Amino acid sequence: MNSATPLHLGPNTSDIAQAANVLGNGGLVILPTETVYGLGADASNGTAVAQVFAAKGRPNFNPLIAHVSDIEMAKTIALFDPLSEKLVEAFWPGPLSLVLPLAPNAAISELATAGLKTVALRMPDHPVVQAVLKELGKPIAAPSANISGRLSPTAADHIDPKLLSKVDAIADGGPCGVGLESTIVMIRDGNPYLLREGGVSREALEDALQITLVAETAADKPTSPGQLLAHYAPKTKLQRNVPNKSADVIHIGFGNMPCDLNLSESGDVIEAAANLFGYLHKADRLAQKNHADTITVAPIPMCGIGRAINDRLLRAARE
Ligand code: TXA
Ligand code: MG
């Protein structure tokens, strides 16, 4: 998020290389896909992913979709079973995102998955984003390229100037063919759950799988990202807005202060967001090791992405 005027790139080879280069250096690039334009960052770079949330002004950390160039790349970050393989064969590349178990040691930032043990991924069917993915050689995390709560853009000139001022480059790939976000299917314990309707219809999914998709009302179906996020909260009790470390607790600090883990010594909310989920996991492990029954977290300013951090801490505290 360095420049007020982003680079305008097209589909030619040198522009593709430039887009991949910007992403590889931690920058943000708006990319065309067949569904809607995405606000892309290197999915393995926590700071870049934090900047995606900051640029969108998202009040919470919804997990992001990781875009992959091919099935080999997909298998470095997620575990596939026969059902997900079947869906890949039928619908990839295309507007179907699959939520699958995260592969061990997947090179993906915990902020991109919002600390979950699953990851949403899809292989987009658009030559520009495909070429950038191949050049970068790594998954790209990309939510729709709109300010939070607004419509997803389906052409480069729909993109909000406020968002444009916060990115490094935009690749113009013309209007999006599908014009509607991807369908999201979660595979859990060998069963498919439809989390979001989109570019691939329910009928097409049912045809391909020769089954009826689990009804939306099933008691165990995670119906919203909010509910999903509740799946990961530290096991240890967590208290927010605690200014100082006391004995027998694991204290997560912010700014220059005594603590066990510091989200950002310099008080930078972007750095804090990039560290958040990893540090919650670490604090949990430390608490277990040191027999501490509480994790405390220093106050985080309610500005910019700080709001999303506070939202996440509120859920983690189960207040
Ligand atoms: O077509 C699309 O899907 C576009 C283009 C850019 O690819 N992207 C998009 O991203 O719509 P976004 O962030 O606006 O929506 C992604 C949604 C999240 O809101 C969340 O509900 C879901 O994907 N999601 C991501 N990871 C998940 C996970 N691990 N479990 C459940 N849902 C997840
Ligand atoms: Mg969106």
Side-chain angles (χ1 to χ4, degrees):
M1 289 200 293
N2 312 318
S3 60
T5 345
L7 282 170
H8 275 257
L9 304 171
N12 62 69
T13 316
S14 71
D15 281 9
I16 296 290
Q18 206 166 354
N21 192 39
V22 170
L23 289 167
N25 288 318
L28 304 188
V29 181
I30 294 178
L31 293 161
T33 83
E34 80 281 29
T35 58
V36 299
Y37 274 74
L39 173 55
D42 172 353
S44 66
N45 182 334
T47 307
V49 173
Q51 274 164 348
V52 166
F53 285 101
K56 277 185 71 95
R58 264 200 179 170
N60 54 35
F61 294 124
N62 273 346
L64 305 181
I65 295 168
H67 297 72
V68 295
S69 56
D70 47 46
I71 187 74
E72 285 69 37
M73 189 186 276
K75 286 186 172 170
T76 65
I77 58 171
L79 302 176
F80 285 75
D81 68 357
L83 192 67
S84 35
E85 300 263 12
K86 208 169 182 180
L87 288 170
V88 163
E89 224 165 88
F91 298 107
W92 278 13
L96 177 68
S97 297
L98 295 174
V99 176
L100 301 176
L102 199 56
N105 305 318
I108 189 137
S109 106
E110 292 199 87
L111 188 58
T113 57
L116 296 168
K117 298 243 175 339
T118 54
V119 60
L121 70 173
R122 83 177 188 96
M123 188 196 298
D125 188 13
H126 192 289
V128 171
V129 68
Q130 271 297 340
V132 175
L133 278 164
K134 286 206 178 77
E135 184 74 25
L136 181 66
K138 294 201 260 187
I140 296 174
S144 48
N146 51 278
I147 299 278
S148 185
R150 303 285 168 76
L151 284 180
S152 300
T154 54
D157 60 7
H158 291 176
I159 292 160
D160 191 313
K162 253 201 233 135
L163 186 65
L164 272 184
S165 72
K166 293 177 179 161
V167 306
D168 300 286
I170 170 165
D172 192 339
C176 303
V178 176
L180 182 81
E181 292 90 345
S182 62
T183 299
I184 305 180
V185 172
M186 173 187 252
I187 309 288
R188 203 173 48 192
D189 302 329
N191 295 310
Y193 299 85
L194 184 58
L195 300 190
R196 178 173 82 181
E197 308 247 6
V200 171
S201 70
R202 174 191 280 264
E203 291 79 1
L205 288 167
E206 291 184 337
D207 258 14
L209 297 175
Q210 287 299 302
I211 54 167
T212 307
L213 277 172
V214 175
E216 310 241 355
T217 49
D220 64 344
K221 181 183 172 290
T223 49
S224 74
Q227 274 171 279
L228 282 161
L229 290 185
H231 285 193
Y232 177 68
K235 294 188 189 76
T236 316
K237 187 175 75 183
L238 184 142
Q239 278 172 9
R240 303 184 302 139
N241 295 325
V242 178
N244 301 305
K245 175 174 167 64
S246 49
D248 305 330
V249 305
I250 302 301
H251 191 58
I252 302 182
F254 179 82
N256 188 8
M257 62 172 66
C259 57
D260 300 284
L261 297 163
N262 200 322
L263 287 170
S264 169
E265 279 182 31
S266 64
D268 173 2
V269 282
I270 299 270
E271 187 185 5
N275 286 329
L276 181 67
F277 288 101
Y279 283 15
L280 288 176
H281 281 289
K282 261 193 204 158
D284 226 4
R285 286 196 295 271
L286 267 181
Q288 268 159 18
K289 193 170 130 217
N290 300 354
H291 306 288
D293 65 2
T294 307
I295 297 167
T296 54
V297 187
I300 311 292
M302 280 294 270
C303 62
I305 199 172
R307 273 192 298 277
I309 297 176
N310 278 296
D311 167 81
R312 190 63 195 86
L313 289 172
L314 189 76
R315 294 163 192 268
R318 302 187 181 91
E319 282 172 17

